[in-house]
Amino acid sequence: MSAATEPRPAKLPLAGGREHAVVRVHPITTGSAMYPEDAFFRRGGKLAALHALGFGSKRVEIPIPAFAVEHPGAGLVLIDTGFHASLAADPKANMGPVLGRIFHPRMGPEDGMPDQLRKRGLAPNKVAVVVMTHLHVDHASGVAQFPGAMFVVSAREWHAATEEKGVTGGYVKRQFDHAFDWRTVDFDSDDVSSFAGFGRTLDLFGDGSMRLAYTPGHTLGHMSVVLRTREGEFLVAADAAYTMRNLRDSVMPYGAHDEHEYRRSLKEVQRYMEQTPGAVVSVGHDIEAFRALKPVY
């Protein structure tokens, strides 16, 4: 499953850093999905895999989030792209028949990220950088909508998505394998440092405003993002924790690519919360938690 696109290593820090910079964060949901509850809270047993795929499992509504970040020097940055606008008309064309059936997407014609940005007075063609926490379909579906941006992903995630896992791992290569400006970050590099409970982080702009935290397990190269706003820190945990219950009770989901790494990453998010009690933490797919977020931070 090798990729047609060849990403280049990112040279950090990226341009645009400003001393003591703070960012504005817009939490955005690009529609929702009706997803099997057993994928989030594993029951175990011989039928666990079938339950996680939706057979005999209650379906719950989940948000499909992405985040717009206004940086004073780097400009408009996105964290993930959410669902592509085309899913409102034909989910299978973007996600394929199997994953489209698992997700049961719910999306209006103006729920795609470009329209969501315009509603907030932000121009989609001004997106300078897109940080991909990982390349699963619900996070990378909308990549094609931002052809002028630089896309940042972990080197391990790119390899997993293009060489190892494929559709059975939750990846649809045609969503992200475009001849765009893809850059990879390496969490084994000399630039890596620990930060507030996270063992390996990278300072994206060199000013402390956006830190990439290595949180593998859900996927092999998963990242979370720590943002510094005027109100304090904002953690985009992404799928290092699906729900607040996963964080609160250390409940394991089904289907982590590496369960040992998932548990370790979950503990790092928990330590971050202990060390930064005032931080806002946004988990991957908890609709009540997402609805509790403010429109902008």
Side-chain angles (χ1 to χ4, degrees):
M1 192 194 170
S2 60
T5 303
E6 186 65 33
R8 293 178 290 167
K11 294 182 179 180
L12 299 184
L14 299 184
R18 296 287 187 272
E19 188 175 4
H20 307 304
V22 293
V23 299
R24 282 168 52 87
V25 183
H26 302 257
I28 297 170
T29 181
T30 60
S32 64
M34 297 303 294
Y35 207 67
E37 188 175 39
D38 282 270
F40 295 160
F41 313 119
R42 188 170 57 192
R43 280 193 281 175
K46 295 180 179 180
L47 300 179
L50 289 176
H51 291 153
L53 291 173
F55 297 96
S57 176
K58 174 185 174 183
R59 286 188 176 269
V60 294
E61 186 177 11
I62 64 169
I64 307 298
F67 299 81
V69 180
E70 296 179 85
H71 187 283
L76 184 57
V77 180
L78 302 185
I79 301 173
D80 292 336
T81 62
F83 278 161
H84 191 283
S86 65
L87 265 74
D90 186 2
K92 293 179 182 179
N94 182 267
M95 302 179 73
V98 176
L99 293 172
R101 183 173 298 174
I102 292 173
F103 273 89
H104 286 205
R106 293 180 168 184
M107 190 176 189
E110 297 182 353
D111 285 345
M113 200 62 171
D115 282 331
Q116 295 274 16
L117 293 175
R118 293 185 190 99
K119 290 176 187 176
R120 292 160 175 80
L122 305 171
N125 64 351
K126 296 296 185 182
V127 173
V129 177
V130 182
V131 174
M132 299 301 301
T133 63
H134 59 302
L135 296 173
H136 273 173
V137 293
D138 50 325
H139 297 258
S141 169
V143 162
Q145 299 171 132
F146 303 99
M150 174 194 295
F151 286 81
V152 178
V153 66
S154 78
R156 192 181 182 199
E157 180 68 8
W158 183 265
H159 185 266
T162 58
E163 301 287 348
E164 297 180 45
K165 295 295 183 179
V167 174
T168 58
Y171 299 110
V172 175
K173 192 173 66 170
R174 66 174 177 271
Q175 290 183 345
F176 57 83
D177 191 12
H178 303 291
F180 295 168
D181 185 7
W182 282 95
R183 306 294 179 96
T184 57
V185 293
D186 182 2
F187 286 94
D188 290 320
S189 72
D190 293 338
D191 295 329
V192 168
S193 62
S194 60
F195 178 79
F198 292 110
R200 287 190 275 180
T201 73
L202 289 164
D203 190 344
L204 189 61
F205 296 110
D207 58 13
S209 63
M210 291 189 69
R211 293 181 182 271
L212 311 179
Y214 191 43
T215 50
H218 172 70
T219 67
L220 297 180
H222 187 279
M223 301 189 297
S224 302
V225 186
V226 183
L227 303 157
R228 185 171 64 205
T229 77
R230 291 191 183 280
E231 301 178 42
E233 289 184 9
F234 188 109
L235 172 64
V236 177
D239 289 0
Y242 284 136
T243 71
M244 295 307 293
R245 180 184 167 193
N246 292 125
L247 276 178
R248 183 180 63 248
D249 300 333
S250 300
V251 177
M252 283 294 293
Y254 183 86
H257 288 199
D258 187 303
E259 290 201 3
H260 173 74
E261 288 193 325
Y262 183 95
R263 291 182 188 277
R264 184 174 63 192
S265 294
L266 190 65
K267 288 179 180 178
E268 290 195 0
V269 175
Q270 292 166 336
R271 284 201 300 269
Y272 170 82
M273 295 173 68
E274 292 169 359
Q275 294 182 29
T276 320
V280 176
V281 177
S282 178
V283 292
H285 297 292
D286 187 325
I287 197 159
E288 295 303 325
F290 195 88
R291 286 171 175 165
L293 295 175
K294 297 195 303 183
V296 64
Y297 289 83

